[in-house]
Amino acid sequence: MNRKLLDILVCPLCKGELIYRKEEKELICKADRLAYPIRDDIAVMLEDEARTLSLEEADALSKKPAHGNPFDQPAGV
Ligand SMILES: [Zn+2]
């Protein structure tokens, strides 16, 4: 997935930022709790094709920093 392309992709519903999940090959909108599939390196930005995240998944997302910010880790560990 092209990083520049990722930067310009937004949720078609709320125009919000998307979270790219490499392992799942999905782009996630936290606000709508939708996961847009990436098929053959092409993001399918269609609400009809998107998967609704379970509450558990949405919860896990809000706990994990989206971009793995190293400064989020507690100091002195
Ligand atoms: Zn959205």
Side-chain angles (χ1 to χ4, degrees):
M1 204 52 195
N2 188 314
R3 224 172 148 96
K4 257 188 196 153
L5 190 66
L6 276 176
D7 284 345
I8 56 163
L9 278 177
V10 294
C11 171
L13 293 184
C14 67
K15 314 290 178 206
E17 208 182 306
L18 294 166
I19 300 165
Y20 175 39
R21 295 179 95 190
K22 220 186 216 170
E23 300 91 63
E24 286 85 357
K25 288 199 176 69
E26 285 176 338
L27 288 166
I28 288 169
C29 173
K30 261 205 289 195
D32 294 316
R33 264 178 47 216
L34 287 174
Y36 299 94
I38 298 169
R39 292 185 192 135
D40 300 322
D41 269 1
I42 295 163
V44 183
M45 305 312 293
L46 299 169
E47 191 189 350
D48 287 349
E49 299 287 323
R51 180 173 74 84
T52 307
L53 293 180
S54 67
L55 276 175
E56 277 172 5
E57 282 177 296
D59 201 44
L61 276 178
S62 52
K63 277 173 196 156
K64 257 186 276 177
H67 302 289
N69 185 349
F71 301 105
D72 263 7
Q73 284 165 7
V77 178

